[in-house]
């Protein structure tokens, strides 16, 4: 998941830089500023996840009560969901900007930029993650989602690694 975030930040930086390369139109400048704000939000939310640290031993005990693969799916998808929630205002702004520009006469000026950004926001992987999460047992989701640790951005990989090392995986 962190690799995906890094790829998004890198792609958004590249797209932003490509807009600055020439004499950018107002439309390009407008979408560029939205991309920059989203990029800053991604970095900020990743910092919040890092600050969250590791959950306490009671949380690990609860996680071990469920099947490992279901816990892994929960951690990966919940971490992505909390990151998206953290970034939501900026994602919403960018989506709104894309919609406005697609419906405007300025679309031709920013078509390449928009077509580069949309897969990052609306890729099929986004739905695939959500779909796997929806297939988890409802009682498991309810129990784990109620834990305050999982109600804010967190890093899933260190938790998965700790569970794997404890299980000898």
């Amino acid at each position: 998941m962190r690799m995906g975030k890094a790829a998004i930040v890198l792609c958004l930086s590249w797209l932003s830089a490509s807009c600055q390369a020439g004499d950018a139109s107002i439309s390009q400048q407008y979408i560029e500023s939205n991309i920059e704000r989203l990029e800053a939000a991604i970095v900020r939310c990743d910092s919040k996840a890092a600050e969250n640290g590791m959950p306490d031993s009671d949380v690990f005990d609860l996680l071990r009560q469920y099947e490992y693969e279901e816990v892994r799916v929960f951690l990966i998808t919940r971490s992505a969901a909390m990151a998206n929630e953290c970034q939501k205002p900026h994602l919403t702004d960018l989506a709104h900007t894309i919609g406005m520009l697609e419906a405007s006469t300025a679309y031709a000026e920013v078509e390449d930029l928009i077509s580069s950004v949309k897969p990052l926001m609306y890729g099929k992987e986004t739905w695939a993650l959500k779909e796997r999460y929806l297939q988890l047992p409802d009682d498991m989701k309810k129990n784990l989602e109620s834990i305050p640790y999982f109600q804010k951005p967190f890093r899933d990989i260190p938790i998965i690694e700790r569970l794997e090392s404890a299980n000898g995986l």
Side-chain angles (χ1 to χ4, degrees), residues 38-54:
L38 176 59
E39 180 182 35
I42 290 169
V43 171
R44 203 170 34 255
C45 293
D46 191 50
S47 293
K48 286 181 181 182
E51 291 170 8
N52 199 6
M54 292 288 275

Side-chain angles (χ1 to χ4, degrees), residues 9-158:
V9 170
L10 182 62
C11 287
L12 291 176
S13 296
W14 176 78
L15 291 169
S16 177
S18 68
C19 282
Q20 294 174 349
D23 190 21
S25 70
I26 298 296
S27 302
Q28 287 176 318
Q29 290 172 3
Y30 187 65
I31 196 167
E32 174 191 298
S33 68
N34 277 272
I35 290 170
E36 288 172 356
R37 284 193 296 276
L38 176 59
E39 180 182 35
I42 290 169
V43 171
R44 203 170 34 255
C45 293
D46 191 50
S47 293
K48 286 181 181 182
E51 291 170 8
N52 199 6
M54 292 288 275
D56 61 32
S57 60
D58 292 342
V59 173
F60 277 98
D61 291 341
L62 182 60
L63 291 172
R64 288 185 189 103
Q65 292 177 12
Y66 299 102
E67 287 186 39
Y68 170 74
E69 189 55 35
E70 289 179 341
V71 168
R72 189 172 173 281
V73 168
F74 173 83
L75 292 170
I76 292 168
T77 54
R78 185 67 180 182
S79 176
M82 292 298 93
N84 284 343
E85 189 66 30
C86 181
Q87 301 159 13
K88 190 178 240 173
H90 303 289
L91 284 167
T92 302
D93 285 348
L94 184 55
H96 180 70
T97 298
I98 289 171
M100 283 189 332
L101 290 171
E102 284 180 331
S104 76
T105 57
Y107 178 70
E109 297 173 24
V110 292
E111 183 175 4
D112 290 341
L113 181 58
I114 288 173
S115 64
S116 298
V117 171
K118 281 175 74 172
L120 298 173
M121 295 176 60
Y122 307 115
K124 59 185 167 187
E125 296 82 15
T126 304
W127 174 248
L129 276 176
K130 183 71 169 178
E131 188 175 35
R132 288 186 71 191
Y133 191 78
L134 293 171
Q135 293 171 355
L136 291 173
D138 289 336
D139 62 328
M140 175 190 177
K141 288 186 291 192
K142 184 178 177 184
N143 287 340
L144 295 177
E145 287 172 356
S146 70
I147 298 170
Y149 181 86
F150 296 124
Q151 295 174 1
K152 53 190 172 217
F154 67 93
R155 291 205 169 145
D156 55 342
I157 301 298

